[in-house]
Amino acid sequence: TAFTPASPVVSSLGAPTILQKSALRPSSLLSAVEPQSSSDASTIPEIPFITKSVASDRSNDLMIGEDAGVFDIQKEEWGKLGERGWLTFSVAVGTIMTAVIVLWVYHPTGYSDDFLAFLENIAGGNSHLVTLMFGILFPIVHSGLASLRPLGEQIVGARTWRVIFAFPSLCLAYSWITYFISHAHDGIQFYDLSHNPTAHTVAWMVNFISFFFLYPSVFNLKEVAAVEKPTIHLWETGMIRITRHPQFVGQGLWSAAHLAMVGTSFTALTMALLVAHHGFACWNGDRRLYDEHGEAFLKIKERTSIIPFQAI
């Protein structure tokens, strides 16, 4: 998917949801984790939805996909460096973010300003053309590397390919987001509700809801950081029962909220590019899931929908 994992395309299957007993499951940020004991975590009281996910009623499931959002904090531990614990996760995330800052963000050592100057030179300073180029480059890099994942993993392994995929995606995402913030009011001004308190409140609420879709519970953080081996999961519970591509829905909500506040031609173009990328990712994600899981995916596809709630 557009910001869809490994083209978040495939990772866009599942997010936190609090629905009553059914194949829907409350979420957490982690999928199934290998049980481990932790003396520190054992002192934390059990709080449903917060420290431990509530078991799903899967009596109506096909039982061919995974249960999303399974989490129990008492089975988590920091572990030693190099193990699959949160210490290794923290070091891994810190390392790649440091690399992004040093090699891309920080102007004296990074190349983000040089890259942006290159695009602005090509566009003759036209911010609409610059965001258009970002809207073309990011999908090619992000979804392209996600689509090359099967081949890349055969050559360098799943964990190394995750780093190769993530680094340029993070760099381009940073540059596009910061450019949007700086130029959101460029172009034709159709309206401007950014200072209207009611519009701001509604947009904030829609944005808040969008992140339950944009960052669903099936994003196993340890896989995102390649601490655990990244896998193309076939989820059967959780957010996927509401929409098979939550990132597409979340991006639509996020973009609509921003465009509702800032009605400029630049913002409209940027939002259209983001939603279009996620729309492409719906097709690309289904294709990748079918390549990985075959008929099992088709059976789950019959029980799900892209449009929220349509299948249920």
Side-chain angles (χ1 to χ4, degrees):
T1 304
F3 286 95
T4 34
S7 181
V9 158
V10 171
S11 308
S12 66
L13 297 178
T17 177
I18 304 177
L19 296 180
Q20 296 175 342
K21 292 183 180 178
S22 72
L24 299 155
R25 120 169 256 120
S27 79
S28 71
L29 294 179
L30 296 177
S31 53
V33 185
E34 179 179 317
Q36 294 177 323
S37 61
S38 171
S39 57
D40 293 334
S42 63
T43 62
I44 300 176
E46 182 176 310
I47 306 174
F49 303 104
I50 303 298
T51 64
K52 185 176 181 179
S53 54
V54 177
S56 298
D57 176 4
R58 302 196 63 186
S59 58
N60 295 320
D61 287 354
L62 300 176
M63 303 304 291
I64 58 177
E66 296 182 60
D67 195 9
V70 178
F71 177 72
D72 184 350
I73 198 170
Q74 295 194 26
K75 295 180 180 179
E76 297 295 324
E77 61 179 19
W78 281 100
K80 298 179 180 178
L81 188 61
E83 297 178 345
R84 293 192 300 170
W86 291 104
L87 176 60
T88 302
F89 169 85
S90 301
V91 172
V93 171
T95 299
I96 192 168
M97 294 309 298
T98 298
V100 170
I101 292 171
V102 173
L103 298 177
W104 193 256
V105 176
Y106 187 51
H107 289 177
T109 58
Y111 289 92
S112 63
D113 52 340
D114 302 296
F115 179 73
L116 181 57
F118 172 72
L119 294 184
E120 290 182 322
N121 183 57
I122 294 176
N126 188 315
S127 60
H128 290 67
L129 292 179
V130 173
T131 199
L132 177 61
M133 285 189 281
F134 272 122
I136 295 173
L137 285 171
F138 184 83
I140 290 175
V141 172
H142 191 73
S143 293
L145 289 175
S147 297
L148 290 173
R149 178 176 175 174
L151 176 62
E153 289 183 347
Q154 291 180 11
I155 299 173
V156 299
R159 290 182 173 86
T160 302
W161 185 257
R162 174 52 59 90
V163 175
I164 294 173
F165 160 79
F167 184 79
S169 295
L170 288 171
C171 292
L172 286 174
Y174 165 82
S175 293
W176 196 7
I177 291 171
T178 54
Y179 191 79
F180 166 71
I181 293 172
S182 300
H183 296 270
H185 293 271
D186 285 5
I188 302 173
Q189 183 87 51
F190 301 107
Y191 54 85
D192 183 9
L193 300 179
S194 59
H195 300 293
N196 183 296
T198 301
H200 187 276
T201 299
V202 172
W204 189 95
M205 292 171 63
V206 173
N207 276 322
F208 183 85
I209 295 171
S210 77
F211 279 92
F212 282 91
F213 291 85
L214 283 167
Y215 299 98
S217 61
V218 296
F219 282 12
N220 183 341
L221 292 182
K222 290 181 182 177
E223 287 188 23
V224 171
V227 173
E228 293 182 352
K229 182 180 179 181
T231 304
I232 299 179
H233 295 277
L234 183 62
W235 304 106
E236 194 173 356
T237 67
M239 182 59 81
I240 189 178
R241 294 292 292 122
I242 297 177
T243 170
R244 191 168 66 254
H245 291 287
Q247 284 194 305
F248 171 71
V249 175
Q251 185 62 63
L253 292 172
W254 189 93
S255 295
H258 282 74
L259 184 59
M261 281 209 308
V262 183
T264 64
S265 54
F266 176 89
T267 297
L269 175 59
T270 304
M271 297 304 104
L273 290 167
L274 285 168
V275 173
H277 179 201
H278 284 75
F280 163 78
C282 291
W283 170 83
N284 197 35
D286 284 351
R287 179 191 64 79
R288 295 176 60 216
L289 281 166
Y290 176 73
D291 289 345
E292 182 73 17
H293 298 284
E295 292 297 321
F297 165 69
L298 294 181
K299 291 179 180 179
I300 288 183
K301 183 179 180 181
E302 292 177 355
R303 304 178 72 238
T304 58
S305 63
I306 295 177
I307 299 174
F309 299 105
Q310 185 180 52
I312 56 175

